[in-house]
Amino acid sequence: QVQLVESGGGSVQAGGSLRLSCAASGYISSHYCMGWFRQAPGKKREGVALIYLSGNIEFYDNSVKGRFAISRDNAKNTMYLQMNVLKPEDTAMYYCAAQGDYCRGGSWREEFFSYWGQGTQVTVAS
């Protein structure tokens, strides 16, 4: 069983930065797809960034490309989301997710993932 715990959320001014962490417990092999999703009030949960652990292959939604960076520290069993040049529209609850499969087009849908964290709130003031 995989358990995920997010941390690092908070409130920042537009243009600021935050780094989210997702600590994983349980066995996660290199053949896992992991991702960050976010959900703003009244909106559907959407994929932000994905990483396929075999080869650290990264994927980004166009809305965050060039501003956010996903990474993974295997020694610490932790995934990160470095968020720079934050905008008010980035305000949301951010969730990490994991699935024992390679990342694919369907990985942008929340139904692809079996394991989820509890979320961490990010608020960006204008």
Side-chain angles (χ1 to χ4, degrees), residues 14 28 47 53 60 64 79-80 89 115-116:
I28 294 184
L53 302 188
Y60 296 96
V64 304
M79 179 177 66
Y80 302 98
E89 51 263 43
Y115 304 106
W116 290 88

Side-chain angles (χ1 to χ4, degrees), residues 9 11 24 32 56 82 103 108 115:
S11 298
Y32 261 68
N56 281 333
Q82 178 66 44
C103 296
W108 291 108
Y115 304 106

Side-chain angles (χ1 to χ4, degrees), residues 2 4 22 24 28 32-35 37 79 96-101 112-117:
V2 173
L4 306 172
C22 173
I28 294 184
Y32 261 68
C33 180
M34 297 188 71
F37 284 70
M79 179 177 66
C96 66
Q99 177 62 29
D101 201 348
F112 174 82
F113 290 93
S114 297
Y115 304 106
W116 290 88

Side-chain angles (χ1 to χ4, degrees), residues 38 48-49 60 63-70 81-87 90 94:
R38 65 185 179 188
V48 173
Y60 296 96
S63 64
V64 304
K65 199 172 292 184
R67 299 189 298 123
F68 290 12
I70 189 171
L81 185 68
Q82 178 66 44
M83 306 186 294
N84 300 323
V85 195
L86 282 161
K87 304 176 181 180
D90 294 319
Y94 282 72

Side-chain angles (χ1 to χ4, degrees), residues 9-74:
S11 298
V12 295
Q13 294 289 327
S17 298
L18 282 173
R19 188 176 79 156
L20 306 183
S21 299
C22 173
S25 60
Y27 179 69
I28 294 184
S29 77
S30 61
H31 300 292
Y32 261 68
C33 180
M34 297 188 71
W36 287 98
F37 284 70
R38 65 185 179 188
Q39 187 169 22
K43 294 189 176 181
K44 290 182 62 176
R45 193 175 298 190
E46 62 178 8
V48 173
L50 306 174
I51 185 167
Y52 181 50
L53 302 188
S54 180
N56 281 333
I57 303 170
E58 304 165 20
F59 307 89
Y60 296 96
D61 183 76
N62 285 336
S63 64
V64 304
K65 199 172 292 184
R67 299 189 298 123
F68 290 12
I70 189 171
S71 62
R72 160 93 173 163
D73 185 329
N74 291 329

